[in-house]
Coordinates of all heavy atoms in Angstrom, one line a residue:
R333 N 3.5 -23.3 40.6 CA 3.6 -22.2 41.6 C 3.6 -20.9 41.0 O 4.5 -20.6 40.2 CB 4.8 -22.4 42.5 CG 4.8 -23.7 43.3 CD 6.2 -24.0 43.8 NE 7.2 -24.1 42.7 CZ 8.5 -24.2 42.9 NH1 9.0 -24.3 44.1 NH2 9.3 -24.4 41.8
V334 N 2.6 -20.1 41.2 CA 2.5 -18.9 40.5 C 2.6 -17.7 41.4 O 2.0 -17.6 42.4 CB 1.0 -18.9 39.8 CG1 0.8 -17.6 38.8 CG2 0.8 -20.1 39.0
A335 N 3.3 -16.7 40.8 CA 3.4 -15.3 41.4 C 2.5 -14.4 40.6 O 2.7 -14.4 39.4 CB 4.8 -14.8 41.4
V336 N 1.6 -13.7 41.3 CA 0.8 -12.6 40.7 C 1.3 -11.3 41.3 O 1.2 -11.2 42.5 CB -0.7 -12.8 40.9 CG1 -1.5 -11.7 40.1 CG2 -1.1 -14.2 40.4
I337 N 1.7 -10.4 40.4 CA 2.1 -9.1 40.9 C 1.0 -8.1 40.4 O 0.8 -8.0 39.2 CB 3.5 -8.6 40.3 CG1 4.5 -9.7 40.8 CG2 3.8 -7.3 40.8 CD1 5.9 -9.5 40.2
G338 N 0.4 -7.4 41.4 CA -0.6 -6.4 41.1 C -2.0 -6.8 41.5 O -2.4 -8.0 41.2
T339 N -2.7 -5.9 42.2 CA -4.0 -6.2 42.6 C -5.1 -5.1 42.2 O -5.7 -4.6 43.0 CB -4.0 -6.3 44.1 OG1 -3.3 -5.2 44.7 CG2 -3.3 -7.6 44.6
G340 N -4.9 -4.7 41.0 CA -6.0 -3.8 40.5 C -7.1 -4.7 39.9 O -7.2 -5.9 40.2
S342 N -7.6 -6.3 37.1 CA -7.1 -7.5 36.4 C -6.6 -8.5 37.3 O -6.9 -9.7 37.2 CB -6.0 -7.3 35.3 OG -6.3 -6.1 34.5
G343 N -5.8 -8.2 38.4 CA -5.3 -9.1 39.4 C -6.5 -9.6 40.2 O -6.7 -10.9 40.4
I344 N -7.5 -8.8 40.5 CA -8.6 -9.1 41.4 C -9.5 -10.1 40.6 O -10.1 -11.0 41.3 CB -9.3 -7.9 41.8 CG1 -8.5 -7.3 43.1 CG2 -10.8 -8.1 42.3 CD1 -9.0 -6.0 43.7
S346 N -8.4 -12.2 38.2 CA -7.7 -13.4 37.8 C -7.2 -14.2 38.9 O -7.2 -15.4 38.8 CB -6.6 -13.0 36.8 OG -5.6 -12.1 37.5
I347 N -6.9 -13.6 40.1 CA -6.4 -14.3 41.3 C -7.3 -15.5 41.6 O -6.8 -16.6 41.9 CB -6.0 -13.5 42.4 CG1 -4.8 -12.6 42.0 CG2 -5.8 -14.1 43.6 CD1 -4.5 -11.3 42.8
P348 N -8.6 -15.3 41.8 CA -9.4 -16.4 42.3 C -9.4 -17.6 41.2 O -9.4 -18.8 41.6 CB -10.8 -15.9 42.3 CG -10.7 -14.5 42.4 CD -9.4 -14.1 41.7
E349 N -9.3 -17.3 39.9 CA -9.4 -18.3 38.9 C -8.0 -19.1 38.8 O -7.9 -20.3 38.8 CB -9.6 -17.8 37.5 CG -10.9 -16.9 37.5 CD -12.0 -17.8 36.8 OE1 -11.7 -18.7 36.1 OE2 -13.2 -17.4 37.0
I350 N -6.9 -18.3 38.9 CA -5.6 -18.9 39.0 C -5.5 -19.8 40.2 O -4.9 -20.9 40.2 CB -4.4 -17.9 38.9 CG1 -4.6 -17.1 37.5 CG2 -3.1 -18.5 39.0 CD1 -3.6 -15.9 37.4
A351 N -6.0 -19.4 41.4 CA -5.7 -20.0 42.6 C -6.6 -21.3 42.6 O -6.2 -22.3 43.2 CB -6.3 -19.2 43.8
Q356 N 0.0 -23.5 43.9 CA 0.3 -22.4 45.0 C 0.3 -21.1 44.3 O 0.9 -20.9 43.2 CB 1.8 -22.7 45.5 CG 2.2 -21.7 46.6 CD 1.4 -21.7 47.9 OE1 1.1 -22.8 48.3 NE2 1.0 -20.6 48.4
V357 N -0.4 -20.0 44.9 CA -0.4 -18.6 44.3 C 0.2 -17.8 45.5 O -0.3 -17.8 46.6 CB -1.7 -18.3 43.9 CG1 -1.7 -16.8 43.5 CG2 -2.3 -19.2 42.7
T358 N 1.1 -17.0 45.0 CA 1.7 -15.9 45.9 C 1.3 -14.6 45.3 O 1.7 -14.3 44.1 CB 3.2 -16.0 46.1 OG1 3.4 -17.4 46.5 CG2 3.6 -15.1 47.2
V359 N 0.5 -13.8 46.0 CA 0.1 -12.5 45.5 C 1.0 -11.5 46.1 O 1.1 -11.4 47.3 CB -1.4 -12.3 45.8 CG1 -1.9 -10.8 45.3 CG2 -2.3 -13.3 45.2
F360 N 1.6 -10.7 45.1 CA 2.5 -9.6 45.6 C 1.7 -8.2 45.5 O 1.4 -7.8 44.4 CB 3.8 -9.5 44.9 CG 4.6 -10.7 45.0 CD1 4.4 -11.9 44.3 CD2 5.5 -10.7 46.0 CE1 5.2 -13.0 44.6 CE2 6.3 -11.9 46.3 CZ 6.2 -13.0 45.6
Q361 N 1.3 -7.7 46.6 CA 0.4 -6.5 46.6 C 1.1 -5.3 47.1 O 1.6 -5.3 48.2 CB -0.8 -6.8 47.5 CG -1.7 -5.6 47.7 CD -2.7 -5.8 48.9 OE1 -3.9 -6.3 48.7 NE2 -2.3 -5.4 50.1
R362 N 1.1 -4.3 46.3 CA 1.6 -3.0 46.8 C 0.5 -2.1 47.4 O 0.7 -1.7 48.5 CB 2.3 -2.3 45.6 CG 3.1 -1.1 46.1 CD 4.1 -0.6 45.0 NE 3.4 -0.1 43.9 CZ 4.0 0.4 42.7 NH1 5.3 0.2 42.7 NH2 3.3 0.8 41.7
T363 N -0.6 -2.0 46.7 CA -1.7 -1.2 47.2 C -3.0 -2.0 47.2 O -3.4 -2.5 46.2 CB -1.9 0.1 46.4 OG1 -0.7 0.7 46.1 CG2 -2.8 1.1 47.1
P364 N -3.7 -2.2 48.4 CA -4.9 -2.9 48.3 C -6.0 -2.1 47.6 O -5.8 -0.8 47.7 CB -5.3 -3.1 49.8 CG -4.4 -2.1 50.5 CD -3.3 -1.7 49.7
T465 N -4.2 -10.8 57.4 CA -4.5 -10.8 55.9 C -5.5 -9.8 55.6 O -5.4 -9.0 54.7 CB -4.7 -12.2 55.4 OG1 -3.7 -13.1 55.8 CG2 -4.8 -12.2 53.9
A468 N -4.3 -6.4 55.8 CA -3.4 -6.1 54.6 C -4.2 -5.8 53.3 O -3.8 -5.0 52.5 CB -2.4 -7.2 54.4
L469 N -5.4 -6.4 53.2 CA -6.1 -6.2 52.0 C -7.1 -5.0 52.2 O -7.8 -4.7 51.2 CB -7.1 -7.5 51.9 CG -6.4 -8.8 51.4 CD1 -7.3 -10.0 51.6 CD2 -6.0 -8.6 49.9
Y487 N -13.1 -12.8 45.4 CA -11.7 -12.3 45.6 C -11.2 -12.5 47.0 O -10.3 -13.1 47.3 CB -11.5 -10.9 45.0 CG -10.1 -10.4 45.2 CD1 -9.0 -10.9 44.6 CD2 -9.9 -9.3 46.2 CE1 -7.7 -10.5 44.9 CE2 -8.6 -8.8 46.4 CZ -7.6 -9.4 45.8 OH -6.3 -8.9 46.0
T490 N -10.8 -15.9 48.5 CA -9.7 -16.7 47.9 C -8.5 -16.7 48.9 O -7.7 -17.7 49.0 CB -9.2 -16.0 46.5 OG1 -10.3 -16.1 45.6 CG2 -8.0 -16.7 46.0
Y491 N -8.3 -15.6 49.7 CA -7.3 -15.6 50.7 C -7.5 -16.6 51.8 O -6.6 -16.8 52.6 CB -7.1 -14.2 51.2 CG -6.5 -13.4 50.0 CD1 -7.2 -12.6 49.2 CD2 -5.0 -13.4 49.8 CE1 -6.8 -11.8 48.1 CE2 -4.6 -12.7 48.7 CZ -5.4 -11.9 47.8 OH -4.9 -11.2 46.8
R493 N -8.0 -19.7 51.1 CA -7.6 -21.0 50.6 C -6.2 -21.3 51.1 O -5.3 -20.4 51.3 CB -7.5 -20.9 49.1 CG -8.8 -20.8 48.3 CD -8.6 -20.6 46.9 NE -8.0 -21.9 46.3 CZ -8.7 -22.7 45.6 NH1 -9.9 -22.5 45.3 NH2 -8.1 -23.8 45.2
N495 N -3.8 -22.6 49.5 CA -2.7 -22.5 48.6 C -2.5 -21.1 48.1 O -1.9 -20.7 47.1 CB -3.0 -23.4 47.4 CG -4.2 -22.7 46.6 OD1 -5.1 -22.2 47.1 ND2 -4.2 -23.1 45.3
V496 N -3.1 -20.0 48.9 CA -2.8 -18.6 48.5 C -2.1 -17.8 49.7 O -2.6 -17.9 50.9 CB -4.2 -17.9 48.2 CG1 -4.0 -16.5 47.9 CG2 -4.9 -18.7 47.0
T497 N -1.2 -17.1 49.3 CA -0.4 -16.3 50.3 C -0.4 -14.9 49.8 O -0.1 -14.7 48.6 CB 1.1 -16.8 50.3 OG1 1.1 -18.3 50.6 CG2 1.9 -16.1 51.4
L498 N -0.6 -14.0 50.7 CA -0.5 -12.5 50.3 C 0.8 -12.0 50.9 O 1.1 -12.1 52.0 CB -1.7 -11.8 50.9 CG -1.7 -10.3 50.7 CD1 -2.1 -10.0 49.2 CD2 -2.8 -9.6 51.6
V499 N 1.6 -11.3 50.0 CA 2.8 -10.7 50.4 C 2.5 -9.2 50.4 O 2.2 -8.6 49.3 CB 4.0 -11.1 49.5 CG1 5.2 -10.3 50.0 CG2 4.2 -12.6 49.6
N500 N 2.7 -8.4 51.5 CA 2.4 -7.1 51.5 C 3.7 -6.3 51.2 O 4.7 -6.3 52.0 CB 1.9 -6.7 53.0 CG 1.7 -5.3 53.1 OD1 2.0 -4.4 52.2 ND2 0.9 -4.9 54.1
L501 N 3.7 -5.8 50.0 CA 5.0 -5.1 49.5 C 5.3 -3.9 50.2 O 6.4 -3.3 50.1 CB 5.0 -4.9 48.0 CG 4.8 -6.2 47.1 CD1 4.8 -5.8 45.6 CD2 6.0 -7.2 47.4
R502 N 4.3 -3.3 50.9 CA 4.6 -2.0 51.6 C 5.5 -2.4 52.9 O 6.3 -1.5 53.3 CB 3.2 -1.5 52.2 CG 2.4 -0.9 51.1 CD 2.7 0.5 50.6 NE 1.8 0.8 49.5 CZ 2.1 1.5 48.5 NH1 3.4 2.0 48.3 NH2 1.2 1.8 47.5
T504 N 7.3 -5.4 53.0 CA 8.5 -6.2 52.5 C 8.6 -6.1 50.9 O 8.1 -6.9 50.1 CB 8.4 -7.7 52.8 OG1 7.2 -8.2 52.3 CG2 8.4 -7.9 54.3
I506 N 9.7 -6.0 47.0 CA 10.4 -6.8 46.1 C 11.8 -6.2 45.9 O 11.9 -5.0 45.5 CB 9.8 -7.0 44.7 CG1 8.5 -7.7 44.9 CG2 10.6 -7.8 43.7 CD1 7.6 -7.9 43.6
V514 N 10.9 -14.9 43.3 CA 10.7 -13.6 43.6 C 11.3 -13.3 45.0 O 10.9 -14.0 46.0 CB 9.2 -13.1 43.6 CG1 9.1 -11.6 43.9 CG2 8.6 -13.4 42.2
T516 N 11.9 -10.8 48.1 CA 11.5 -9.5 48.8 C 12.7 -9.2 49.8 O 13.6 -10.1 49.9 CB 10.2 -9.6 49.5 OG1 10.4 -10.5 50.6 CG2 9.1 -10.1 48.6
Y521 N 10.5 -16.3 47.4 CA 9.4 -17.2 47.0 C 9.7 -17.9 45.7 O 9.8 -17.2 44.7 CB 8.1 -16.3 46.9 CG 7.7 -15.5 48.1 CD1 8.4 -14.4 48.4 CD2 6.9 -16.1 49.1 CE1 8.0 -13.7 49.6 CE2 6.6 -15.4 50.3 CZ 7.2 -14.2 50.6 OH 7.0 -13.6 51.7
V523 N 9.0 -19.7 42.4 CA 7.8 -19.8 41.6 C 8.1 -20.4 40.2 O 9.3 -20.3 39.8 CB 7.0 -18.5 41.4 CG1 6.4 -18.1 42.7 CG2 8.0 -17.4 40.9
A525 N 5.9 -19.7 37.5 CA 5.3 -18.7 36.6 C 5.0 -17.3 37.2 O 4.7 -17.3 38.4 CB 4.0 -19.3 36.0
L526 N 5.2 -16.3 36.4 CA 5.1 -14.9 36.9 C 3.9 -14.3 36.1 O 3.9 -14.3 34.9 CB 6.3 -14.1 36.5 CG 7.4 -13.8 37.6 CD1 8.4 -13.0 36.8 CD2 6.8 -13.1 38.7
V527 N 2.9 -13.7 36.7 CA 1.8 -13.0 36.1 C 1.9 -11.5 36.4 O 1.7 -11.2 37.6 CB 0.4 -13.6 36.5 CG1 -0.7 -12.8 35.9 CG2 0.3 -15.1 36.1
A529 N 0.0 -8.4 36.6 CA -1.3 -7.8 36.5 C -1.1 -6.2 36.8 O -1.7 -5.7 37.7 CB -2.2 -8.4 37.5

Side-chain angles (χ1 to χ4, degrees):
R333 295 163 303 175
V334 184
V336 181
I337 301 178
T339 51
S342 305
I344 282 177
S346 58
I347 288 163
E349 303 258 342
I350 297 173
Q356 178 67 41
V357 175
T358 311
V359 178
F360 294 88
Q361 172 194 271
R362 191 164 62 185
T363 312
T465 305
L469 287 165
Y487 176 64
T490 297
Y491 291 92
R493 296 177 64 106
N495 69 335
V496 177
T497 308
L498 180 70
V499 177
N500 183 345
L501 299 180
R502 295 278 177 216
T504 57
I506 297 177
V514 178
T516 69
Y521 300 86
V523 293
L526 259 183
V527 174

